[in-house]
Amino acid sequence: MIREFEEKFGPTLEKKVIAKNKVLYTLMVRREDFINMTKYILNRPNTRLFTMVGMDERNTEESFSVTYWFLDWKAQEVIGIRLYVPEEEPSFPSVGAIHKGAIWFEREVQDLLGLEAEGLPDPRRLILPDDWPEGVYPLREDFQYYHSPMGTRNYPYREPKNNSTVHPMGPYHVALDEPAHFRLFVKGEEIVDVDYRGFYSHRGIEKLARGRLNYNQVIFIAERVCGICGFAHSIAYAQAVEEAAKIEIPDRARYIRTILLEIERLHSHLLWIGVAAHLTGFDTGFMRSWLIREKVMELAERLTGNRKTYGLALVGGVRRDLLDYRKSLILETINKLRGEVNELVDMLLATKSFIKRCEGIGVLSKEKAREWDTAGPLARASGIDYDTRRDLPYAAYDELSFNVPVYKEGDVLARALVRIDEVKESISLLEQAVDAIPGGPVMAEFNEIPSWREGISAVEAPRGENTHYVMTGEINRIYRWRVKAPTYNNLQAVSDMLRGYTIGDAPLIVASIDPCYSCTERVQVVDIESGKAKVISFGGMGTCP
Amino acid sequence: MELLGAIVAPFLPPLLDGVARKVKALIQNRMGPSIFQTWYDIITLLSMEPTLPTGSLAFRLAPYIALASALCMAFMLPYGSNSIINFGGDLIAFIYVFTLFSAALVFGALSVENSYSHAGANRELTLSLVFKPLFTITIGIFALKTGSLSITQIAHSISPSLSIVGAYLLLLYVAYVEAGFIPYDIAEAETEILEGPLSEYSGRLLGLLKWALQIKRFAMIWLFASFVTLPIAEGVFAFVLQMMVFLLAYLLMVTYESLNARYRLDQAMNQGMKGIVIGAVLTIIAWLGW
């Protein structure tokens, strides 16, 4: 992708190489070329909008910037296109107008930085609360993280059309474990349209990281982005910083990271299988699945000291070594797991009423899945053969062998089957990793992290890729840290998945993407009620369904 | 014996639900709550002031009507040889109060502004459209074969034949559906529509409704147990036998419930329609004399 792109657009660009196969181009002149460039990239097969980063670079470059990062997962190449947006005229051409996957990114920079995307289809507020005043942009450098202005409450919800009525699902609903508000426009029980308002658990992580944390503190906040796939977030962050600072981590650390990432995937997928069974009323499947998951949690506790939120990652390696006798503990546990998982799967797939509820429900076509840049099991169930573990290898995945399950049906059942297959793959991966783990140190040695370097990295979390972007700053602090969780894209596709099905199916369809709201809603902002900046507490963490 | 029935019918069902929870817990490798848990819940709820989301009288009356109809259903059934309330043609009255139960739920649910309640009411109505006729057809086969419209008389005079065997199976099925076990707890689906008709109820009114649902569940299965045992037994022995068949059926149903997921409304309707077709065929067979 990089070579072809340069041949076509090279002369107008300033190039900066971030890492092997990762380049950043800055558009110096002719902003009108920008849309053509994105069109050119996104029209290629196997490309996706990886993440988008808005930055306040007024201190260094005297303007704001937006950077669109694209990934070609077959060529394993990442391209970034940076566009400077001057303070006097804070607008840029919208990619959301031609590519749906960019809509939330552009609504986000509009909210947080006050940069307007011209031609954006849905310019409503996305992240900031309903009563946040107009014209106050919390991610700008001149906004202090503890400041909490008040405005009047107002949100322009869409009104139901064609004689449909509103069936509100959430912010509090028994099937949603975190607050999210789906306005289902229904005729009888059939859903004809959907409006979504979320970001109720928006916390302030990125601003906090900029305002008052150093590199090694951020990694613990990164782990607390999510209560389920937290380790994947901390690794993605560590990798981005390591890339920026050009740190090579020791082999043993790579393997330890792999082992824990797979343990995390196991527990997350087993959790999801249980929740899916529960939502269809099949509580026996739910309880059995969580009973197996409990053993995975115990294993994690023995290895790291914590059932969840392992606290093991550091920039440059891992904090603690795995003792040798624990290796046999892992093998013992996964040997037991293998039989129990097979039993569970046999039981689930033999329960006709469960299969009937999942089959043909919430279908997402491959085209739609690509339009929204969906990731993880959701994308793989819709026929997109993409997994960052294989396509953008990190940790020790390039030295281990595994299959990436892909299904074509795109319904809830296919998503369940992808996860079931992945559970089995994870067990095999764990076995291989324990077998192949080399000796040696677990931390790399490095000096001060240089300023104004950039790194971008992704980790395949249980729900899809966690993409973290980092720009290093001065005095041991991060200048910009951008977290993109897979639910950020997957959640946008839910509207398309709900249309045409009934309100009885809605909880299962929403759950089928395995949504994680607190992952998606991280970023910035302070507690409105107390008027204070809130330091993240466990109570606010996601218990993701 | 009838007196015993008057005690059993209202007070045993919540205890049975406690047993059901224990059985389910065993199947799911859990400890489960005490078997008195459902009673504890109902007693707690009955002592609490309800929060009323509407001034509508229908909303406040619905739980009482539901409880009264459920009790009527239970009292019309035979305990041992006789029932507490019996008169010629009480079968028709049984079907009437049986329908009144659903009607009370629906009216209560429709009297509040809540799309979850409304969805529940809608589901209850839709299910009623299929399963109430199915129940009537099934009972009709028994009435046709025995030539009576009194539940006690029918129960005592059933003699085996092809259509009666079919009708037994169909009755077991309808009893299961109307008892509101998964996969047929569609109207009160908690994870989908927040218990539908029950979602706006609280305190005393919710307690009454939960109690009424348990009694209705009891009545449906007890009807089946009576039809099975009374043709071959009399007096105290009949009551013991009724209880044994009832418990067996109840436990089997609970086990089946815990091994299944909930149907969607259209899936349940399809099953119900199949039931009606089978019922119609059985009626013809009965009419032909087999």
Side-chain angles (χ1 to χ4, degrees):
Chain A
M1 170 174 74
I2 293 176
R3 195 171 46 82
E4 292 95 329
F5 183 77
E6 268 177 20
E7 275 168 15
K8 202 163 160 67
F9 298 104
T12 55
L13 298 163
E14 185 188 280
K15 182 176 174 182
K16 178 177 169 191
V17 177
I18 305 270
K20 184 175 167 264
N21 288 343
K22 289 182 187 171
V23 291
L24 170 69
Y25 300 102
T26 307
L27 208 55
M28 301 310 285
V29 283
R30 294 186 30 142
R31 263 163 55 151
E32 54 277 19
D33 282 348
F34 172 64
I35 288 296
N36 289 336
M37 288 177 186
T38 47
K39 265 189 194 159
Y40 173 77
I41 294 176
L42 289 170
N43 281 337
R44 296 173 62 84
N46 313 318
T47 50
R48 55 194 277 111
L49 181 54
F50 205 27
T51 185
M52 189 267 233
V53 188
M55 268 193 284
D56 181 356
E57 296 192 70
R58 284 177 297 172
N59 298 333
T60 48
E61 306 283 342
E62 290 173 354
S63 68
F64 297 100
S65 75
V66 285
T67 314
Y68 289 78
W69 294 92
F70 302 93
L71 167 73
D72 183 330
W73 70 83
K74 279 276 165 347
Q76 307 191 347
E77 290 171 338
V78 175
I79 282 185
I81 302 179
R82 179 161 297 163
L83 206 61
Y84 283 108
V85 183
E87 192 176 359
E88 310 80 59
E89 198 207 330
S91 64
F92 60 98
S94 165
V95 176
I98 55 161
H99 179 67
K100 283 183 184 171
I103 294 178
W104 273 21
F105 288 121
E106 289 172 355
R107 286 171 72 181
E108 184 175 328
V109 289
Q110 199 162 295
D111 274 19
L112 300 181
L113 286 162
L115 310 179
E116 191 197 339
E118 290 159 16
L120 181 64
D122 180 6
R124 289 179 301 170
R125 182 172 279 186
L126 177 70
I127 288 182
L128 296 176
D130 294 352
D131 57 358
W132 188 269
E134 294 290 333
V136 182
Y137 305 111
L139 211 53
R140 289 191 175 186
E141 286 291 302
D142 46 18
F143 183 93
Q144 294 301 322
Y145 68 88
Y146 46 77
H147 185 48
S148 179
M150 285 293 270
T152 45
R153 190 176 176 145
N154 175 34
Y155 191 79
Y157 286 112
R158 277 194 0 238
E159 291 303 318
K161 280 181 218 151
N162 305 331
N163 296 328
S164 58
T165 52
V166 179
H167 180 80
M169 191 168 133
Y172 300 103
H173 186 283
V174 69
L176 301 170
D177 292 354
E178 290 175 83
H181 183 35
F182 293 89
R183 290 164 72 82
L184 308 177
F185 300 131
V186 293
K187 283 183 180 168
E189 280 220 9
E190 196 200 332
I191 301 164
V192 290
D193 205 358
V194 183
D195 193 10
Y196 176 78
R197 171 74 172 137
F199 291 83
Y200 296 110
S201 36
H202 184 57
R203 285 164 291 165
I205 290 180
E206 286 175 11
K207 185 78 176 179
L208 200 66
R210 167 73 187 121
R212 53 179 287 185
L213 302 174
N214 63 33
Y215 290 113
N216 271 340
Q217 287 172 321
V218 171
I219 201 158
F220 295 98
I221 294 294
E223 186 149 16
R224 282 154 181 79
V225 164
C226 179
I228 297 291
C229 54
F231 194 69
H233 275 291
S234 65
I235 295 298
Y237 164 78
Q239 287 176 2
V241 177
E242 284 154 10
E243 188 173 279
K246 307 264 182 291
I247 300 167
E248 278 280 326
I249 70 161
D251 287 345
R252 191 171 173 82
R254 289 196 293 127
Y255 273 86
I256 293 176
R257 285 180 178 186
T258 310
I259 288 171
L260 284 165
L261 283 170
E262 288 311 309
I263 287 176
E264 193 172 65
R265 188 180 326 279
L266 271 181
H267 106 79
S268 176
H269 280 354
L270 288 169
L271 177 135
W272 181 85
I273 292 169
V275 169
H278 175 59
L279 290 180
T280 58
F282 185 34
D283 281 352
T284 305
F286 169 39
M287 294 292 168
R288 290 269 172 93
S289 177
W290 280 40
L291 197 64
I292 302 176
R293 172 177 177 261
E294 198 54 33
K295 293 188 178 130
V296 183
M297 307 292 277
E298 267 163 30
L299 177 65
E301 188 179 350
R302 291 295 299 278
L303 295 178
T304 68
N306 297 314
R307 286 161 57 83
K308 200 53 220 71
T309 315
Y310 309 140
L312 208 66
L314 276 185
V315 174
V318 291
R319 277 172 70 210
R320 259 177 272 138
D321 203 351
L322 288 190
L323 301 175
D324 269 342
Y325 79 92
R326 298 226 164 96
K327 271 168 60 174
S328 54
L329 188 75
I330 300 176
L331 290 176
E332 251 170 58
T333 312
I334 56 177
N335 273 335
K336 265 189 235 151
L337 276 184
R338 186 173 284 132
E340 289 175 6
V341 166
N342 284 339
E343 255 173 54
L344 172 75
V345 169
D346 288 347
M347 183 186 76
L348 275 177
L349 299 184
T351 307
K352 259 198 195 154
S353 45
F354 175 70
I355 301 296
K356 267 188 172 175
R357 282 307 296 270
C358 299
E359 211 171 8
I361 291 299
V363 176
L364 183 72
S365 66
K366 190 175 177 181
E367 293 71 40
K368 287 253 168 69
R370 267 208 73 185
E371 270 176 30
W372 290 113
D373 289 325
T374 58
L378 176 65
R380 290 193 281 278
S382 292
I384 297 179
D385 188 8
Y386 162 59
D387 186 326
T388 31
R389 287 179 293 174
R390 182 196 60 199
D391 300 328
L392 212 59
Y394 55 92
Y397 286 108
D398 49 349
E399 290 160 26
L400 307 171
S401 78
F402 58 98
N403 295 320
V404 176
V406 178
Y407 288 78
K408 289 203 176 69
E409 292 78 5
D411 57 359
V412 174
L413 185 63
R415 281 163 220 150
L417 291 174
V418 166
R419 291 191 176 96
I420 286 170
D421 290 354
E422 283 185 10
V423 166
K424 294 177 180 169
E425 290 298 324
S426 286
I427 292 177
S428 135
L429 272 169
L430 274 174
E431 212 167 37
Q432 295 174 44
V434 170
D435 193 41
I437 188 168
V442 293
M443 267 303 280
E445 283 178 18
F446 57 95
N447 295 323
E448 201 176 310
I449 291 173
S451 305
W452 314 120
R453 296 273 194 83
E454 292 171 78
I456 181 164
S457 174
V459 164
E460 186 75 17
R463 303 171 175 78
E465 95 238 320
N466 283 340
T467 311
H468 284 225
Y469 164 87
V470 163
M471 181 187 261
T472 60
E474 289 161 323
I475 53 164
N476 210 20
R477 288 216 180 130
I478 282 176
Y479 188 76
R480 179 77 168 99
W481 171 39
R482 172 73 166 92
V483 184
K484 196 220 76 175
T487 306
Y488 198 81
N489 290 102
N490 293 352
L491 198 56
Q492 298 179 66
V494 167
S495 313
D496 279 341
M497 286 149 61
L498 283 171
R499 248 173 242 128
Y501 300 98
T502 67
I503 54 174
D505 298 319
L508 187 63
I509 295 174
V510 173
S512 74
I513 68 161
D514 202 359
C516 180
Y517 301 102
S518 53
C519 277
T520 310
E521 299 173 4
R522 83 268 89 84
V523 213
Q524 209 293 283
V525 168
V526 267
D527 185 3
I528 292 304
E529 270 171 31
S530 66
K532 283 181 193 150
K534 215 177 177 183
V535 178
I536 287 77
S537 68
F538 276 100
M541 287 305 116
T543 44
C544 312
Chain B
M1 204 58 64
E2 292 90 333
L3 200 67
L4 199 59
I7 298 165
V8 164
F11 297 109
L12 184 66
L15 196 64
L16 286 169
D17 191 54
V19 174
R21 287 163 85 160
K22 204 78 185 172
V23 171
K24 269 188 252 172
L26 285 179
I27 294 173
Q28 297 166 357
N29 299 358
R30 285 190 291 125
M31 298 255 300
S34 144
I35 59 165
F36 296 104
Q37 191 58 50
T38 308
W39 257 127
Y40 294 152
D41 293 349
I42 289 177
I43 290 168
T44 313
L45 283 171
L46 288 180
S47 69
M48 288 160 80
E49 199 63 28
T51 307
L52 295 173
T54 167
S56 158
L57 190 65
F59 183 80
R60 271 177 291 159
L61 278 183
Y64 294 97
I65 298 173
L67 185 67
S69 5
L71 280 174
C72 274
M73 279 167 74
F75 288 159
M76 281 183 204
L77 299 176
Y79 299 88
S81 301
N82 278 313
S83 54
I84 301 155
I85 309 170
N86 66 59
F87 47 89
D90 57 6
L91 186 64
I92 306 293
F94 184 86
I95 294 170
Y96 176 77
V97 285
F98 173 56
T99 314
L100 187 63
F101 183 93
S102 293
L105 269 189
V106 170
F107 282 131
L110 287 180
S111 59
V112 278
E113 279 290 316
N114 180 329
S115 60
Y116 286 95
S117 286
H118 289 191
N122 177 33
R123 287 174 171 205
E124 180 75 35
L125 262 178
T126 319
L127 286 173
S128 294
L129 287 178
V130 172
F131 287 101
K132 297 288 186 285
L134 179 58
F135 177 72
T136 314
I137 291 172
T138 313
I139 291 291
I141 298 169
F142 285 105
L144 186 68
K145 291 300 282 184
T146 54
S148 167
L149 282 178
S150 150
I151 295 174
T152 317
Q153 267 184 26
I154 292 176
H156 281 294
S157 50
I158 299 171
S159 55
S161 71
L162 181 63
S163 57
I164 286 293
V165 173
Y168 271 133
L169 294 175
L170 218 47
L171 184 61
L172 186 65
Y173 173 67
V174 188
Y176 186 87
V177 173
E178 285 294 337
F181 286 115
I182 291 172
Y184 293 99
D185 71 328
I186 299 163
E188 288 95 33
E190 196 190 339
T191 47
E192 291 173 15
I193 51 168
L194 316 178
E195 297 196 296
L198 275 62
S199 63
E200 281 290 346
Y201 280 102
S202 58
R204 194 188 315 127
L205 296 179
L206 180 64
L208 287 173
L209 266 180
K210 293 220 161 190
W211 194 5
L213 282 165
Q214 293 299 334
I215 296 171
K216 181 197 171 198
R217 176 177 280 190
F218 167 84
M220 293 312 295
I221 306 171
W222 191 263
L223 176 69
F224 171 77
S226 306
F227 276 17
V228 171
T229 52
L230 291 194
I232 51 167
E234 279 291 330
V236 183
F237 176 60
F239 182 73
V240 175
L241 210 57
Q242 262 179 313
M243 194 52 105
M244 282 165 63
V245 172
F246 170 82
L247 286 177
L248 186 69
Y250 195 90
L251 291 178
L252 282 178
M253 286 179 179
V254 168
T255 312
Y256 184 74
E257 175 182 38
S258 63
L259 297 177
N260 268 290
R262 188 181 304 113
Y263 280 143
R264 231 180 15 242
L265 190 59
D266 56 310
Q267 292 165 343
M269 298 290 282
N270 281 341
Q271 301 287 337
M273 293 308 286
K274 279 181 206 157
I276 287 189
V277 172
I278 295 172
V281 172
L282 284 175
T283 312
I284 296 168
I285 295 175
W287 181 68
L288 290 174
W290 286 307

